[in-house]
Amino acid sequence: MSTGTATPDGPPRRFNSGPGRALVAVYILFAIAASCRAGVQIITKFDEAPVAYLLSALAAVIYIVATIGLARGDRVGRRTALVCCTVELVGVLNVGALSLFDPALFPDDTVWSDFGGGYGYIPLVLPVLGLLWLRRTRPS
């Protein structure tokens, strides 16, 4: 089972090495951050903004599953990561737009509010990088 793609000047490039490994590391960091944030918010003040906190929990689950898919790097992992990165991008774009146009929908921030502004816009950039990496390392 190959987890890489052939390069013109050498052996196959491993999907989860080099930049792919850095991408996995950032996904792990965001999985932890989103999980902790959602957990604390749900436990301590769920009644204040349940939709926002559940969206943060959803983001955490997506980051966790994407991390696993990217780390595996095999066919199933790639498909899983592709779905997760796509859902993540759609989510951050929709929640980001809604949080700007109608702030009352989200009385408290989610990971994806303001296009991930609370996290340095990394939630907006991360799925794009994931999708680009999946495309770049696509098997021939």
Side-chain angles (χ1 to χ4, degrees):
M1 185 179 313
S2 174
T3 60
T5 57
T7 59
D9 38 289
R13 176 177 62 235
R14 291 211 23 104
F15 176 73
N16 56 3
S17 64
R21 186 163 295 180
L23 187 64
V24 169
V26 175
Y27 264 99
I28 289 170
L29 177 65
F30 270 79
I32 293 167
S35 297
C36 291
R37 176 184 189 145
V40 168
Q41 290 173 324
I42 288 170
I43 290 169
T44 61
K45 52 186 182 175
F46 182 74
D47 56 328
E48 292 177 21
V51 172
Y53 304 149
L54 290 174
L55 279 170
S56 288
L58 174 64
V61 170
I62 291 170
Y63 290 136
I64 291 166
V65 176
T67 300
I68 294 167
L70 288 167
R72 280 182 57 156
D74 61 4
R75 197 171 115 229
V76 172
R78 291 179 56 80
R79 284 187 183 168
T80 302
L82 178 64
V83 169
C84 286
C85 289
T86 303
V87 169
E88 178 187 351
L89 182 58
V90 169
V92 75
L93 290 174
N94 285 316
V95 172
L98 286 171
S99 66
L100 292 177
F101 293 125
D102 192 359
L105 288 174
F106 303 102
D108 201 356
D109 285 341
T110 73
V111 174
W112 294 338
S113 293
D114 301 323
F115 303 102
Y119 288 91
Y121 300 98
I122 293 173
L124 178 61
V125 175
L126 195 56
V128 174
L129 292 176
L131 291 169
L132 289 172
W133 181 251
L134 288 166
R135 180 179 165 94
R136 179 173 182 229
T137 59
R138 176 180 55 212
S140 315

